[in-house]
Amino acid sequence: VTPEIIDPAYELYSSTVEKFTFQKQYLNKDFFTRIQESNFRRHLVVVLARRGNKTIGGTFNVQKGDTLYGRYWGCFEEVPYLYFEACYYRLIQHVIEKNMTRMEAGAGSSGGGKLLRGFDASITRSSHYIHNPNLRVAVSAFLEAETAAIEEQKDLMNENMGAFKSSL
C-alpha cells in the first residue's frame, strides 16, 4: 500500500463524512499515514475506481485470516452502480480469488442491496456509555423495544430472501 493508494483512500473517507452530517470523522490523516507505514498495511484491501488518472470512488477494507471486513466507501463523482462494483463485486471477487470463507459487508445503509447480493440480514452491535442518567434510562428503554422489532425484521428479511436464494 503506497501513498498513491492510501492518500485517495483517506480523501474518499473524508469526503463521505463531510457529505453526511450524521457521520463523525474518527479516522484522521495521521491514522492513514501510520497504517501505510506499519505492518498492518498487509491487511488492507483498497479498491479505487479511476477515470483516466483521476480517482472517482473507492473502498477501504480490512482482511484478517479468511475474512474480509466492512468498507469505508467514498466517491468524488456519482456514477451509477459504482458503489456496488467497488463495495461488493470487486470484493466478492477478491474473497473468491483468495479462497476466503467470509465477507462482512459492513453496517452501511444499503440494506436491500446487500440482501439482493446474497448477504443475510444481520445485527450490528455497538457499545456506548451515556453519562446523563436520565438520558441513559430513556435510551435504554427505547433500545429494549427497538431490539425486538429489529430482530423480527431481520428474521422476516432472511426468511423472504432465503426463499429467493433457494429458487436461484
Side-chain angles (χ1 to χ4, degrees):
V1 176
T2 64
E4 293 78 28
I5 293 172
I6 208 69
D7 289 347
Y10 168 71
E11 292 164 10
L12 289 163
Y13 165 74
S14 295
S15 74
T16 300
V17 172
E18 289 172 13
K19 286 179 196 174
F20 300 102
T21 58
F22 60 86
Q23 291 186 345
K24 178 164 176 37
Q25 184 165 347
Y26 54 90
L27 303 178
N28 58 29
K29 178 65 173 166
D30 187 52
F31 168 82
F32 280 80
T33 300
R34 285 176 185 234
I35 61 170
Q36 184 242 318
E37 295 169 351
S38 76
N39 238 0
F40 189 77
R41 71 180 176 270
R42 65 191 162 102
H43 296 289
L44 301 180
V45 178
V46 178
V47 175
L48 296 177
R50 293 193 170 111
R51 178 172 284 137
N53 292 329
K54 182 182 172 191
T55 299
I56 59 172
T59 65
F60 172 82
N61 311 271
V62 176
Q63 174 180 307
K64 184 175 180 189
D66 65 350
T67 304
L68 182 67
Y69 292 95
R71 83 276 181 274
Y72 290 105
W73 155 257
C75 67
F76 301 126
E77 182 180 325
E78 297 294 331
V79 176
Y81 309 110
L82 179 60
Y83 169 82
F84 296 110
E85 181 68 27
C87 293
Y88 296 101
Y89 306 136
R90 294 296 170 137
L91 296 176
I92 291 169
Q93 179 181 357
H94 174 81
V95 166
I96 292 168
E97 288 173 355
K98 299 295 182 184
N99 203 27
M100 300 171 79
T101 59
R102 195 165 130 213
M103 179 178 161
E104 291 289 333
S109 61
S110 65
K114 289 179 185 176
L115 290 171
L116 291 172
R117 284 157 182 82
F119 293 95
D120 289 330
S122 61
I123 301 297
T124 301
R125 302 190 189 285
S126 63
S127 181
H128 307 273
Y129 177 75
I130 300 173
H131 183 69
N132 181 298
N134 294 329
L135 181 58
R136 188 179 325 123
V137 168
V139 169
S140 191
F142 169 79
L143 291 176
E144 194 171 310
E146 185 189 43
T147 298
I150 288 175
E151 285 283 352
E152 185 178 322
Q153 182 182 18
K154 174 192 69 101
D155 293 344
L156 184 62
M157 291 170 80
N158 286 336
E159 182 181 310
N160 289 335
M161 290 309 290
F164 172 72
K165 288 184 210 175
S166 65
S167 68
L168 290 179

